[in-house]
Amino acid sequence: MNLLWDLYWPVLTLAVVAGVNVGAIAFRKRAPNQFRTINWRRRRVLVLAGGAALVLAFGAIWHAPVGKGERFASQTERFTRKVLVDWEMAPVTAVVPRNPIRRALVLSGPADDFQRSELVRILNDVPGVANVWWADRPPNFTLPLLLEVELAALVSFGVGLVLAYLLELRRRSNAQWRW
């Protein structure tokens, strides 16, 4: 399971599409005879900020009210449970921290030092997991999943803006050809 693609592809796709559409509006060159009272820089900034706010709102709605964050946590715990049973470590439990949801696992249960280090190494390979630690040790820093999704959405929005800018440059360079 690739986290960003399996669960959050609609957010990333919407961010690219929104970036292209918002960029097409924001990067359009002002015609010389248009109204002089409109501040075009302010309009451009408002359009870009509105598009970014739309993308961030959609990412937050997709994460929490739609429930993709909780779906990620339950799928990761289910898969990890299967891995622990396969490695005959059934008494050990792995939980995804849920306040806020993070791409991490917290292990607890009976295990000796060798098993502890190997379980951390093995469970680090679980798809979508960034960090693994034991409950009696200090936690490692992991970004909340919502923040990761919002950052990925902003990067996708930026990709859409770059595409819109390139399309606008192409349109401007071809404007001389009137057949």
Side-chain angles (χ1 to χ4, degrees):
M1 174 179 79
N2 182 350
L3 171 72
L4 290 177
W5 187 248
D6 286 351
L7 297 176
Y8 290 102
W9 67 267
V11 175
L12 302 179
T13 305
L14 175 91
V16 171
V17 170
V20 169
N21 289 325
V22 166
I25 295 168
F27 300 137
R28 182 69 46 141
K29 188 174 183 180
R30 177 175 68 116
N33 59 356
Q34 285 185 338
F35 298 97
R36 301 274 184 213
T37 59
I38 298 174
N39 187 346
W40 288 97
R41 287 185 184 153
R42 184 181 307 169
R43 177 181 172 260
R44 179 177 293 165
V45 168
L46 285 176
V47 168
L48 291 174
L54 172 78
V55 166
L56 292 175
F58 186 73
I61 289 170
W62 192 258
H63 177 75
V66 174
K68 294 301 179 176
E70 185 61 36
R71 182 175 172 203
F72 162 75
S74 63
Q75 283 180 347
T76 302
E77 286 178 353
R78 198 172 329 132
F79 185 78
T80 304
R81 185 87 216 123
K82 193 182 305 183
V83 169
L84 288 171
V85 168
D86 288 345
W87 283 91
E88 297 177 0
M89 293 298 297
V92 175
T93 59
V95 179
V96 174
R98 284 190 163 77
N99 197 7
I101 297 175
R102 298 176 186 274
R103 293 189 318 124
L105 289 172
V106 180
L107 302 174
S108 62
D112 60 16
D113 289 339
F114 175 74
Q115 290 171 330
R116 283 176 170 246
S117 63
E118 286 301 304
L119 281 177
V120 167
R121 184 185 63 79
I122 290 168
L123 294 179
N124 263 329
D125 292 335
V126 170
V129 173
N131 280 322
V132 179
W133 66 85
W134 286 87
D136 58 352
R137 304 256 168 99
N140 298 333
F141 177 74
T142 308
L143 286 175
L145 183 60
L146 178 60
L147 184 60
E148 288 185 20
V149 169
E150 298 290 15
L151 290 174
L154 285 177
V155 168
S156 297
F157 182 70
V159 168
L161 288 177
V162 167
L163 289 173
Y165 184 72
L166 293 175
L167 288 172
E168 181 63 20
L169 287 180
R170 181 175 183 271
R171 188 188 70 77
R172 287 182 191 177
S173 70
N174 288 338
Q176 63 185 341
W177 301 104
R178 301 275 185 212
W179 297 32

